[in-house]
Amino acid sequence: MRLFFILYQSVFFCIMIKWRQRLNFVRDREASFPYERADRLISPNQQSILFLLEKALDERYSVFSKIRLQDVVMVNSDLSPGQQKAAMKRLTSELLDLVICEKGNATILGVVLLDGEGASPENGLVRQEIDVDRVLAAAGIPVVRLNASKDYSLDDIRIEVSRTIFLKWKINNAAQLSEPVNDNGMRK
């Protein structure tokens, strides 16, 4: 009987050790994957402006939100590989609020940046030293700046986008088309 009791205690002890190890494994796993689902992809203010922007544009255009700056601009290929890598690294953490593209070929027409949203000293987030406006200007991408907390009408959005993005896009393309071309049809 004593042997049975000792055997029973040994089995019980082994089960408790395994249970404890499993519990610790689950805790360690949860600690190594400290992620949970976000409530929403964009803020209510961003959603409101996105909705108005989609209504203001016709079906030839698409609007994308939270696009990485490095997906919209390329680093100059004339730079050395080290300089290219350093320049690209400065772009990695920057997100663009809204990007307007042609629907058929995803050509980037312009960017909408929302002031008053995202990184600011008040909410503990600070943007990198990169000047997004200068990067986009250097790449020839027009930028519309809107106040995220302002109530815009459909006409306000339509006028601002038309004036800033589509007018600049037409001017840029007209200038490119007027550049001389060689015999192969390439710009000189």
Side-chain angles (χ1 to χ4, degrees), residues 65-170:
S65 66
K66 288 196 172 182
I67 302 296
R68 297 180 312 167
L69 180 59
Q70 70 182 21
D71 293 331
V72 174
V73 298
M74 297 183 335
V75 175
N76 188 329
S77 60
D78 295 339
L79 299 174
S80 72
Q83 291 171 320
Q84 287 180 354
K85 187 175 180 179
M88 202 56 162
K89 188 175 181 180
R90 287 193 302 268
L91 305 179
T92 56
S93 67
E94 292 295 330
L95 287 178
L96 303 173
D97 297 308
L98 303 166
V99 177
I100 301 172
C101 297
E102 287 183 9
K103 195 173 268 184
N105 57 18
T107 299
I108 299 163
L109 300 176
V111 170
V112 177
L113 296 177
L114 304 177
D115 295 328
E117 287 280 328
S120 70
E122 293 82 30
N123 65 14
L125 300 172
V126 181
R127 287 200 185 269
Q128 283 188 346
E129 73 282 352
I130 189 100
D131 185 350
V132 175
D133 290 290
R134 288 182 57 205
V135 170
L136 293 170
I141 300 173
V143 177
V144 175
R145 282 203 165 272
L146 299 174
N147 185 334
S149 59
K150 182 179 174 188
D151 287 331
Y152 289 98
S153 70
L154 185 61
D155 288 335
D156 292 337
I157 298 287
R158 188 176 285 130
I159 289 168
E160 195 61 38
V161 168
S162 296
R163 181 176 57 138
T164 306
I165 292 181
F166 294 122
L167 183 61
K168 286 181 181 177
W169 184 253
K170 287 179 183 177

Side-chain angles (χ1 to χ4, degrees), residues 4-70:
F4 177 74
F5 183 71
I6 293 173
L7 185 63
Y8 176 76
Q9 282 183 332
S10 298
V11 169
F12 180 75
F13 185 69
C14 287
I15 291 172
M16 292 302 291
I17 288 175
K18 285 292 187 188
W19 179 76
R20 182 84 169 152
Q21 287 174 342
R22 177 130 176 100
L23 186 62
N24 287 340
F25 173 76
V26 170
R27 282 190 199 137
D28 290 345
R29 184 169 172 227
E30 288 173 357
S32 67
F33 293 104
Y35 307 106
E36 56 186 61
R37 181 179 176 166
D39 291 335
R40 53 182 50 223
L41 182 61
I42 58 178
S43 72
N45 291 343
Q46 289 171 326
Q47 179 66 39
S48 173
I49 291 174
L50 175 63
F51 176 74
L52 285 172
L53 188 56
E54 287 175 335
K55 283 182 91 172
L57 299 172
D58 64 38
E59 67 277 351
R60 295 177 296 168
Y61 307 105
S62 295
V63 182
F64 300 96
S65 66
K66 288 196 172 182
I67 302 296
R68 297 180 312 167
L69 180 59
Q70 70 182 21

